[in-house]
Amino acid sequence: MKIIMKRLMPWMIGTATLWAATSLVLAAEELPGKVDFGAFSPPKGGGQFVEVNVTSAVINLAARFVEKDEPDVAKILGNLKQVTVNVIGLNDENRDELHKRAQNIRTDLAGKGWERIVTVQEKDQDVSIYLKMADSTIQGVTAVVLDGKQDAVFANVVGDIKPEQLAMLGEKFHIDPLKKIGLTAQKSEAKAEENAK
Amino acid sequence: MTLSPTDAASLPRFLNGVAAAPAGQAPAGVSPAANTAQRQKFWLVTCYLLLVLGLFCLPLLGALGIASYFRLSSETRALRSSVMESLPGHWDKQVAVNVGGFTLGLARFGTSFFHLPPEATAALQCLDGGDVGVYQLRGSSATANYSAMLASADQSMQRRGWERMVGVVEGRQFVAVYLPRNLSATKRIECCVVVLDGHDLVVASAHGKAEALLALVRTATKGEPVLGRLHGLAER
């Protein structure tokens, strides 16, 4: 028994090490378009707070729901891995902190190779949409929105999706902030095309 | 009486023990009649014991079965506890019902003899079980700390392998929806929900078959855009 254990031990250690290393590599490369915004907490005093985290299993299920009647939507959904949306109502207590956090996220994204494709700053609205690409494939879309004195929105969609399609995604999943971000992206795209002409 | 080994060999097998007993010693075996009587006695005692056990156990099992209808699943209880602990006070139970696979199986069997709308049949087919609890907070003016409530519920559910898909806080309303981390989009779907509206708390969970749910959605929507229709149904 001891001899068998002695012979098996190196193999067992080797297998465990290989498994651990593989899972670490896979974990690191699993979702390249994913952004960690950190934890948010509901504002004190009953302000708005919405957190949506749609995982790949739910997206796959939704894709299966629509594949017969809306194959185009199913195709788009099939390319997605995760949808995260955070909406936090702004008040005197959290406004500064959330503005600072939005700024940090923007700086962080720029440093990590995300391309800023939409910038809208009008009235009290401040919208930035970022795109992460690798070999002409979209890996993810991230939006940081500070909507005046009302709320802050942080959205991250992991997978191959165009920013203009975010409106459709928001409409299908009934995530209004995502719909708004998508519409802003569409407007920005149209403006850019006009300017190019 | 003593028998020679050749005589003993010619005897029936069950008497061999008697025959083979050494001279001057009492025979080790028993006669066939006594053997049969012993066996009958053994079976009689066993049947009697089983009957007594059954008589005692059946009501016990029945009581346990009935009690299980009013006992929420561990996930629902965990979710309820985390919310209740974050908002201390006297919580009054209004309703707590748990319907399992056995009852739903019986319902499926029972309804197979009647003509039901296809949606109802599909709904029964897709649901494997579920539970719901409704509670009301009495005599407490404490303001809910939704941040702590959400953190506590998250922690409690994460320990059980569940992740929050939706968390909403608006005014005095709090909603959280949890799904298992290893949710399979092809086999079994599980979901756990908590809704706190002021002092009214509702916790519920359900589990069912993904394929049957898909069939139900297709039957219910009849070709309309599915996700929009689902949302409309949920809003209603």
Side-chain angles (χ1 to χ4, degrees):
Chain A
M1 189 68 184
K2 269 185 183 176
I3 295 166
I4 294 171
M5 282 303 285
K6 261 187 181 177
R7 284 189 180 173
L8 276 179
M9 199 54 91
W11 285 100
M12 282 159 73
I13 292 169
T15 313
T17 314
L18 195 68
W19 177 79
T22 314
S23 43
L24 270 175
V25 169
L26 283 176
E29 288 182 2
E30 204 177 21
L31 301 171
K34 190 178 173 177
V35 176
D36 185 11
F37 297 126
F40 296 100
S41 54
K44 283 172 189 165
Q48 194 192 25
F49 177 82
V50 178
E51 242 180 21
V52 181
N53 181 27
V54 188
T55 55
S56 59
V58 180
I59 295 170
N60 286 341
L61 191 68
R64 293 186 67 207
F65 278 161
V66 297
E67 68 186 352
K68 265 197 173 176
D69 307 316
E70 297 162 275
D72 297 341
V73 177
K75 203 177 166 187
I76 293 169
L77 292 178
N79 291 332
L80 301 184
K81 307 272 188 300
Q82 193 173 350
V83 179
T84 311
V85 179
N86 297 80
V87 182
I88 305 106
L90 296 173
N91 60 22
D92 291 339
E93 276 184 35
N94 66 6
R95 187 171 291 111
D96 288 344
E97 191 260 321
L98 284 169
H99 274 260
K100 212 176 267 177
R101 199 195 283 209
Q103 194 51 47
N104 287 344
I105 289 168
R106 283 168 177 164
T107 314
D108 200 34
L109 288 173
K112 283 179 179 167
W114 285 75
E115 191 187 341
R116 190 168 177 159
I117 52 155
V118 176
T119 308
V120 179
Q121 281 178 327
E122 51 184 25
K123 292 177 191 169
D124 285 339
Q125 212 179 37
D126 183 357
V127 183
S128 319
I129 301 177
Y130 295 82
L131 201 66
K132 176 118 189 209
M133 302 223 12
D135 305 326
S136 71
T137 308
I138 298 170
Q139 291 183 323
V141 180
T142 299
V144 179
V145 181
L146 292 169
D147 195 1
K149 290 173 183 174
Q150 283 187 324
D151 47 44
V153 181
F154 300 89
N156 174 224
V157 179
V158 184
D160 191 358
I161 187 168
K162 289 175 187 155
E164 304 91 77
Q165 291 171 326
L166 288 178
M168 180 275 299
L169 190 66
E171 202 175 318
K172 293 294 168 196
F173 279 108
H174 287 266
I175 307 172
D176 284 344
L178 210 58
K179 203 168 145 184
K180 276 186 196 170
I181 293 165
L183 290 173
T184 312
Q186 280 173 4
K187 273 182 201 169
S188 174
E189 178 84 8
K191 246 185 196 176
E193 272 177 23
E194 259 179 39
N195 289 341
K197 278 175 191 173
Chain B
M1 188 183 95
T2 52
L3 290 171
S4 67
T6 41
D7 289 336
S10 64
L11 281 170
R13 210 172 164 188
F14 64 89
L15 284 176
N16 247 353
V18 182
Q25 283 182 20
V30 284
S31 69
N35 202 355
T36 315
Q38 258 186 357
R39 276 186 191 167
Q40 275 177 350
K41 198 179 168 186
F42 168 77
W43 282 114
L44 205 71
V45 170
T46 309
C47 286
Y48 178 74
L49 279 174
L50 283 174
L51 192 73
V52 170
L53 207 66
L55 280 172
F56 272 105
C57 284
L58 267 179
L60 191 73
L61 285 173
L64 282 174
I66 291 166
S68 76
Y69 280 97
F70 306 103
R71 188 174 163 80
L72 301 179
S73 64
S74 70
E75 287 83 22
T76 317
R77 273 185 282 134
L79 207 50
R80 178 194 64 187
S81 304
S82 53
V83 172
M84 284 181 175
E85 278 162 20
S86 308
L87 192 53
H90 179 73
W91 286 93
D92 263 353
K93 181 163 80 178
Q94 310 287 309
V95 184
V97 186
N98 186 347
V99 181
F102 178 71
T103 312
L104 280 166
L106 277 181
R108 271 194 287 271
F109 176 73
T111 52
S112 66
F113 297 105
F114 304 100
H115 178 71
L116 283 178
E119 289 94 340
T121 315
L124 265 176
Q125 288 294 332
C126 78
L127 203 64
D128 278 343
D131 53 350
V132 62
V134 181
Y135 305 85
Q136 200 166 44
L137 182 66
R138 298 218 187 267
S140 172
S141 54
T143 319
N145 181 353
Y146 296 113
S147 186
M149 197 179 283
L150 209 55
S152 166
D154 283 356
Q155 201 181 17
S156 177
M157 293 303 276
Q158 269 167 8
R159 272 204 299 266
R160 287 169 171 78
W162 292 63
E163 270 183 350
R164 180 157 50 82
M165 188 179 89
V166 178
V168 179
V169 177
E170 192 150 21
R172 294 179 71 205
Q173 290 175 330
F174 168 86
V175 179
V177 181
Y178 291 85
L179 297 177
R181 206 172 293 140
N182 55 356
L183 177 82
S184 160
T186 51
K187 287 174 189 167
R188 199 167 184 258
I189 298 177
E190 287 176 279
C191 174
C192 221
V193 182
V194 57
V195 178
L196 177 69
D197 186 3
H199 286 177
D200 298 316
L201 170 69
V202 179
V203 277
S205 78
H207 50 95
K209 298 173 204 80
E211 283 299 330
L213 181 66
L214 205 64
L216 169 68
V217 169
R218 281 188 185 140
T219 316
T221 54
K222 286 171 190 159
E224 283 180 49
V226 177
L227 293 179
R229 173 74 190 244
L230 273 181
H231 190 77
L233 288 173
E235 272 183 345
R236 248 184 276 162

